[in-house]
Amino acid sequence: MRPIAVSTEGDEEYEVMIPYFKIYAGGIISISLSPVLGFEGATVREVIGKEVNKSQRNINSVLCERALYLACTESQMSQMPLQERIAQRRGFEATAKSALEAPQELEFLDERLTVYELMHTDQLTLTDIARNLLSVVARAVTLGAVRTRINWFSRQYRDESIGEYWHGKPIIYIRSHTRQKKSSTENWAAHKRLVNSVMARVHLTDVVTHADSARSDMREFDDFNNFYSEAVSLMLSSAQVESFVEQNNSYTFNNLTSDIQVLNEASHFIRIYYAYASLDLDRCKTAIDVARLELEILKFEESLLSAYKYGEIAKYFDEVKRGDHLTTVCKLLRKKVEIVRKALELDEKIASETYTRRTTIIFGIIASATLSPELMQPFAKFYGVNFADEQVGKLVGIGASVVVVVSLLASTHYMFRFFNWITRKIKI
């Protein structure tokens, strides 16, 4: 996607970001908002406040190019009810016209972008921007094209792509810093406060009054540190990384960050997969559907075993699986599977018994109807009802018998219901 510019509270200048999307085969969509500029010269406190916790800061303004502006507004308006959309049409068209008639220029690398203000408010955060961009992409995938024109009289579009399990996390890459050591082990020891502050997402003082949290380095070699948690990830380079990049023209720092980005996206996908498997469980109608869902989960877990051919990746996935959130979600999913299966099996058993009972009643009615004509004939003779054809008399007798049996069954059914109702009322 083309770049966007975001202005957060406390900053006068815009920060240019490039949104990257990845669409998986199962339908899951991920987004990464990558800032074009880094945070060179920032202190530890500034890194924590402005980078690690950037999603907690309110946004003042967002700028984007015309095509994205139209797609975002169309996606937003399509989710409104028809009556509300028509009621707000005049005001929205005036706002959109005002925004499109006031373009701004933005420098991006070696080109100048013509951008428009998508929103001007202090009520939203970076998380809200990411969710809206995901909605635009999800709508485009659903419709097969990007819509930029608003259909004011169309039905309301219900976006179910963003569930309650959606979440994001910051990934911090530090290429160079003060007092940088050549060994990543020594570098970590010398800058433990920085590491602990980033992983805790809070600025820690020099005097540590609590025990250090156990941090696990995912990197097996002594060139950089790769820290992972469900809340934040950190890559801390040693001096070896810079010298290696300078000596090898074919390898850049972006290659390194891309590898870590892929690992984090894989961990994110694992966590989201189990969470949305719980939503799929709610759609299961029979015990067979539950068994098929379990089979899909087992196939997914089986596919993860291929990562164990590579020691560093296997260690990374082991750390992901030990995460508190993922562990809790998996436990809840297993319990939910068992409960849903038992409930569906019970429903199926009750339905089967009901079907058997109804079948028995039907055959009972047929049997009663075939025996009853012999009992109905005396009544027919008493009332003087005679038929010239004996077969016709039998058919009429069978019909009358069926009516009498069905009426008796219905009367008995409603009589028992009436007695049950009286019993409940007396207990109350």
Side-chain angles (χ1 to χ4, degrees), residues 107-119:
E107 292 186 3
F108 172 69
L109 299 179
D110 56 349
E111 62 176 320
R112 295 186 65 85
L113 305 178
T114 301
V115 293
Y116 305 87
E117 190 167 54
L118 179 62
M119 61 182 64

Side-chain angles (χ1 to χ4, degrees), residues 119-134:
M119 61 182 64
H120 184 84
T121 178
D122 58 354
Q123 304 297 320
L124 302 178
T125 64
L126 201 62
T127 301
D128 299 309
I129 302 300
R131 291 176 68 94
N132 280 280
L133 291 177
L134 281 172

Side-chain angles (χ1 to χ4, degrees), residues 162-420:
I162 308 294
E164 57 267 33
Y165 296 110
W166 185 89
H167 61 276
K169 62 176 286 187
I171 305 175
I172 305 299
Y173 304 102
I174 300 179
R175 178 172 180 173
S176 61
H177 54 86
T178 56
R179 297 184 294 111
Q180 195 170 19
K181 307 297 182 181
K182 193 169 185 179
S183 166
S184 63
T185 304
E186 296 177 359
N187 200 43
W188 178 12
H191 301 280
K192 184 171 289 187
R193 184 169 68 93
L194 168 64
V195 174
N196 291 341
S197 296
V198 171
M199 300 308 292
R201 300 188 68 169
V202 63
H203 182 254
L204 302 176
T205 59
D206 292 325
V207 180
V208 180
T209 58
H210 58 85
D212 286 344
S213 301
R215 304 295 177 195
S216 180
D217 186 8
M218 300 291 101
R219 181 64 174 173
E220 296 289 346
F221 301 97
D222 200 31
D223 47 1
F224 65 87
N225 306 110
N226 183 14
F227 301 100
Y228 168 85
S229 74
E230 293 179 330
V232 63
S233 291
L234 168 66
M235 193 281 284
L236 182 65
S237 303
S238 68
Q240 292 185 49
V241 174
E242 189 68 27
S243 60
F244 181 81
V245 170
E246 291 177 354
Q247 296 172 7
N248 296 271
N249 296 329
S250 60
Y251 192 87
T252 65
F253 186 71
N254 288 336
N255 296 120
L256 179 59
T257 58
S258 297
D259 293 340
I260 297 175
Q261 179 76 19
V262 168
L263 288 175
N264 277 276
E265 288 180 355
S267 67
H268 196 83
F269 177 80
I270 293 172
R271 295 171 62 192
I272 290 293
Y273 180 88
Y274 285 105
Y276 276 85
S278 180
L279 292 181
D280 292 336
L281 188 60
D282 296 335
R283 303 186 184 99
C284 293
K285 303 300 182 183
T286 64
I288 296 177
D289 294 336
V290 176
R292 287 172 179 166
L293 179 61
E294 277 190 296
L295 183 60
E296 291 181 5
I297 295 174
L298 290 175
K299 288 181 179 179
F300 172 73
E301 293 176 344
E302 196 175 48
S303 67
L304 297 179
L305 295 177
S306 61
Y308 284 82
K309 295 184 293 185
Y310 312 99
E312 188 170 299
I313 299 178
K315 179 181 178 182
Y316 188 90
F317 281 175
D318 283 339
E319 184 69 20
V320 171
K321 291 180 179 179
R322 285 196 295 267
D324 294 336
H325 180 269
L326 181 58
T327 303
T328 303
V329 168
C330 289
K331 288 181 179 178
L332 292 176
L333 179 60
R334 302 299 180 190
K335 290 182 179 179
K336 190 175 179 180
V337 166
E338 293 301 321
I339 293 174
V340 171
R341 179 191 287 109
K342 290 179 180 179
L344 291 175
E345 287 176 350
L346 184 60
D347 289 341
E348 291 174 0
K349 184 179 180 180
I350 294 173
S352 177
E353 292 177 352
T354 303
Y355 176 78
T356 303
R357 186 166 59 251
R358 289 175 179 174
T359 304
T360 303
I361 292 173
I362 291 172
F363 279 103
I365 293 174
I366 295 174
S368 301
T370 55
L371 295 175
S372 298
E374 301 300 328
L375 300 176
M376 297 295 293
Q377 286 178 0
F379 288 99
K381 291 180 179 179
F382 179 78
Y383 288 105
V385 179
N386 294 313
F387 296 94
D389 192 343
E390 184 179 355
Q391 298 299 326
V392 174
K394 288 183 178 181
L395 290 175
V396 172
I398 290 174
S401 301
V402 170
V403 172
V404 171
V405 172
V406 171
S407 300
L408 289 174
L409 288 174
S411 301
T412 305
H413 170 71
Y414 285 108
M415 184 175 63
F416 279 113
R417 287 187 62 179
F418 178 70
F419 286 145
N420 290 334

